[in-house]
Amino acid sequence: MRAFDTMNPAAVTVTLILAACITIFSLEPLLLGISLICAATYFLMRNGRRHAAFHIGAIGMPLLFALLNPLWNQHGTTVLFVINQRAVTQEALVYGGVTGLRLAAVLYWFRNFSDLMTSEKLFYLFRGFSPKLALVFTMAVRNLSLFRAQMRKIQTSQRALGLYREGHLIDDLRGGMRVFSILLTWALENGIITANSMSARGYGCGKRSSFTFYRWEKGDVALLLTALVLAAAVIAGILSGALTWQFYPQRIPPAMTLQYFGAIAAYAGLAMLPVIYEGKEMLTWHCLRQSI
Amino acid sequence: MLVIRSEKIRRVLRVALPFAIMPAMVLLLPRGLQAQHYALVTFLMTGFALLLFLAGFERRELGTRRMILVSVMTALSVLGRMLPVIKPITALTVLSALYLGPEAGFLTGALSAVLSNFIMGQGPWTPFQMLAWGMIGLFAGLLAKPLRRNRLLLYLYGMVSGFAYSMILDIWTTVWTYGEFTFRQYGAALVSSMPYPVVYALSNLIFLMLLAKPFGEKLARIGKKYGL
């Protein structure tokens, strides 16, 4: 068992996308809670105490939604109190909280996804789909840092030429426009030169192979299959209506059947996968350090 | 689509299938489904339409130069998206579509959306942004001739695409918050997002006004210099 971020990117992507997509399309508070806890735990395991602002924003989401939803939602039968002749119902409050919970969980999953997927992993994924697209994508990523560096150079030289006045709004805007214009000329020209040298070296004649770090090993296949089977179980549960809550006009939770608990357990398994892989890795590291 | 011999029918289908037939299915299919699955269907269909259209590029001869220029324009618009409030992403997509063709426009728009979202935050809205910006580029490329000739028409296109972008994204907002799509809820979502479409339209206008002329000149200069 390897660390989660060294697994085959396709297996990792499928696991994360399935966990996130089921979260997006579900309104079951228990499932959403599990989803949020797993995603946030994984995020914390990878990042430690950094990104406090992100945590505050994400955790505040359910509260914000719970408070805002009753303002434009008048459904529900249990009136808590009345403001400005508008009834604030308990059902609307709960529904808002649940949608906020969903958004928070989804944000954590996507944040984890962007953290894990480095550009070379994305290249690997795109490559299977379309080599041309993969090339355009990687070159765009590379151009991003290239242009940033070039922009800094242009700015420095403009400043040295005395074309800037510090803290002057109009001058700043005009200077910014000029820098962008110079960058644009340079970027287009640089692109043409790159293309010319690529075709001079024979890009585009015949089929090409590309280098990659990633292979399919037994562990990758196992991860992919586990994720698919667990997700299939949850989706079957959702489609059969075992996880469907009714919020309006009255809150009716789904019946506590075997199917309900089965689907929830399957989802918990799916969402725990990254945490399990990461936790195992941390444990091994801890033991190795202990034995020194 | 390999079975269809006529080049013309294939070309029409390649645009019609992702952008006309599949959206129609999105609107018609869930009539029989529970409201809860509506968001899922919309999401999957959008993703599928994108994949279908992008897969078409593999078999197309886009040319090395055009591919490289698309990557250059994508990187520039991602850099531009970090500006506060006004974003040049639509203007740059439209411009690259005008001079590099509809496919290049679609690619620039769609790729800029994915790439910049790695900085701005990925989410379930990413496919919708890709589709919205991609379509703005695609149609700009299809209308390239009149748009290049008439500057006012170009500005109008920029402003309209600002509103269109917001309207496409509000389809997702509606489906996601209400779990279903009715025109009343869609209207409410449109109204509640009100300041944004105007900001989009204005920033497109500003950037097109600033960039349209120099961009054409720069490309012409490079064409002369390298003999394209």
Side-chain angles (χ1 to χ4, degrees):
Chain A
M1 214 154 123
R2 290 170 287 150
F4 192 64
D5 57 341
T6 60
M7 303 296 281
N8 190 298
V12 171
T13 307
V14 168
T15 312
L16 289 182
I17 294 281
L18 282 175
C21 278
I22 291 172
T23 310
I24 294 175
F25 302 113
S26 144
L27 272 176
E28 204 329 281
L30 184 57
L31 190 148
L32 293 176
I34 291 171
S35 171
L36 177 63
I37 289 169
C38 290
T41 311
Y42 184 61
F43 187 74
L44 282 171
M45 278 170 128
R46 281 177 60 81
N47 294 301
R49 281 186 206 162
R50 283 178 291 146
H51 306 298
F54 178 72
H55 290 296
I56 293 168
I59 301 297
M61 209 70 80
L63 219 62
L64 184 75
F65 271 62
L67 291 179
L68 285 182
N69 189 48
L71 292 185
W72 54 73
N73 211 327
Q74 301 285 303
H75 300 295
T77 46
T78 322
V79 177
L80 292 179
F81 50 86
V82 178
I83 312 173
N84 278 352
Q85 295 167 339
R86 293 185 130 233
V88 171
T89 65
Q90 189 200 18
E91 283 81 8
L93 212 61
V94 170
Y95 184 81
V98 172
T99 44
L101 192 65
R102 176 174 71 171
L103 190 61
V106 169
L107 282 180
Y108 270 110
W109 281 117
F110 275 96
R111 184 69 192 254
N112 280 334
F113 182 71
S114 341
D115 280 359
L116 274 175
M117 285 292 138
T118 56
S119 54
E120 94 211 359
K121 287 185 190 173
L122 282 172
F123 177 63
Y124 172 82
L125 290 181
F126 267 120
R127 197 187 60 137
F129 176 61
S130 158
K132 266 186 198 167
L133 204 61
L135 181 81
V136 175
F137 186 80
T138 27
M139 291 198 70
V141 174
R142 194 267 172 279
N143 279 340
L144 211 58
S145 52
L146 186 70
F147 290 174
R148 241 187 239 155
Q150 186 67 21
M151 201 152 88
R152 220 162 294 135
K153 273 190 209 163
I154 298 171
Q155 263 163 357
T156 319
S157 61
Q158 291 276 311
R159 201 156 281 153
L161 284 167
L163 290 172
Y164 265 111
R165 239 182 307 163
E166 297 295 331
H168 192 279
L169 186 68
I170 307 280
D171 255 26
D172 269 1
L173 279 176
R174 284 174 62 190
M177 244 1 254
R178 196 165 47 234
V179 169
F180 189 75
S181 159
I182 296 169
L183 180 70
L184 189 62
T185 313
W186 179 85
L188 290 174
E189 209 164 303
N190 188 57
I192 294 289
I193 293 172
T194 314
N196 280 353
S197 72
M198 274 169 70
S199 24
R201 285 166 190 158
Y203 175 80
C205 4
K207 213 170 152 58
R208 298 181 73 87
S209 58
S210 46
F211 172 76
T212 167
F213 294 109
Y214 305 102
R215 284 182 301 154
W216 283 98
E217 285 170 28
K218 267 183 201 153
D220 300 316
V221 180
L223 172 64
L224 183 67
L225 286 180
T226 318
L228 285 176
V229 168
L230 288 174
V234 189
I235 290 170
I238 290 176
L239 288 181
S240 71
L243 296 182
T244 311
W245 273 65
Q246 190 193 319
F247 286 95
Y248 303 119
Q250 243 173 346
R251 209 144 33 90
I252 303 172
M256 299 289 140
T257 55
L258 197 64
Q259 218 177 1
Y260 174 83
F261 287 112
I264 292 283
Y267 185 76
L270 175 67
M272 292 269 278
L273 278 175
V275 178
I276 291 171
Y277 276 78
E278 198 71 16
K280 199 255 161 195
E281 201 63 13
M282 280 165 100
L283 206 68
T284 317
W285 179 235
H286 187 73
C287 292
L288 281 172
R289 278 183 35 178
Q290 289 284 306
S291 62
I292 292 175
Chain B
M1 266 189 267
L2 290 171
V3 196
I4 305 164
R5 280 290 153 81
S6 157
E7 173 69 22
K8 244 185 189 166
I9 298 178
R10 258 187 299 176
R11 274 181 63 186
V12 169
L13 261 184
R14 214 180 43 242
V15 177
L17 198 66
F19 300 130
I21 299 173
M22 293 182 65
M25 274 165 78
V26 168
L27 289 180
L28 294 178
L29 258 184
R31 294 270 171 265
L33 285 172
Q34 276 173 279
Q36 243 201 340
H37 308 312
Y38 200 101
L40 181 69
V41 173
T42 321
F43 188 75
L44 287 183
M45 281 291 182
T46 311
F48 199 52
L50 270 175
L51 284 186
L52 204 69
F53 194 75
L54 288 176
F57 286 111
E58 200 41 42
R59 264 174 271 125
R60 291 274 297 177
E61 255 327 306
L62 203 61
T64 313
R65 270 191 194 133
R66 232 185 277 185
M67 271 166 57
I68 305 303
L69 286 181
V70 166
S71 77
V72 166
M73 295 308 289
T74 306
L76 283 175
S77 46
V78 173
L79 272 185
R81 208 179 166 197
M82 286 167 218
L83 289 175
V85 193
I86 47 173
K87 321 272 178 198
I89 199 161
T90 313
L92 286 173
T93 304
V94 168
L95 285 176
S96 46
L98 286 192
Y99 293 97
L100 303 172
E103 264 104 355
F106 185 89
L107 260 189
T108 310
L111 283 181
S112 310
V114 196
L115 257 184
S116 60
N117 276 2
F118 274 99
I119 302 154
M120 314 286 290
Q122 294 289 2
W125 49 82
T126 305
F128 288 84
Q129 283 181 331
M130 285 174 76
L131 200 68
W133 268 319
M135 270 162 79
I136 288 170
L138 183 85
F139 286 117
L142 292 175
L143 297 172
K145 256 190 195 159
L147 287 183
R148 255 194 294 187
R149 226 181 302 125
N150 193 338
R151 192 58 54 75
L152 278 179
L153 214 60
L154 179 64
Y155 296 157
L156 189 70
Y157 183 84
M159 294 191 64
V160 169
S161 60
F163 287 108
Y165 172 79
S166 173
M167 279 170 84
I168 293 175
L169 278 183
D170 276 334
I171 295 179
W172 169 247
T173 321
T174 314
V175 168
W176 160 268
T177 38
Y178 300 105
E180 58 185 343
F181 186 90
T182 63
F183 283 97
R184 235 189 77 218
Q185 285 158 342
Y186 182 52
L190 278 181
V191 170
S192 66
S193 70
M194 204 42 221
Y196 288 102
V198 178
V199 172
Y200 293 146
L202 282 182
S203 61
N204 293 349
L205 181 68
I206 292 170
F207 278 105
L208 279 176
M209 280 171 125
L210 286 174
L211 290 173
K213 202 168 157 236
F215 188 78
E217 282 172 357
K218 280 174 214 291
L219 268 186
R221 191 186 84 89
I222 281 165
K224 208 181 271 173
K225 186 170 175 184
Y226 292 95
L228 306 184

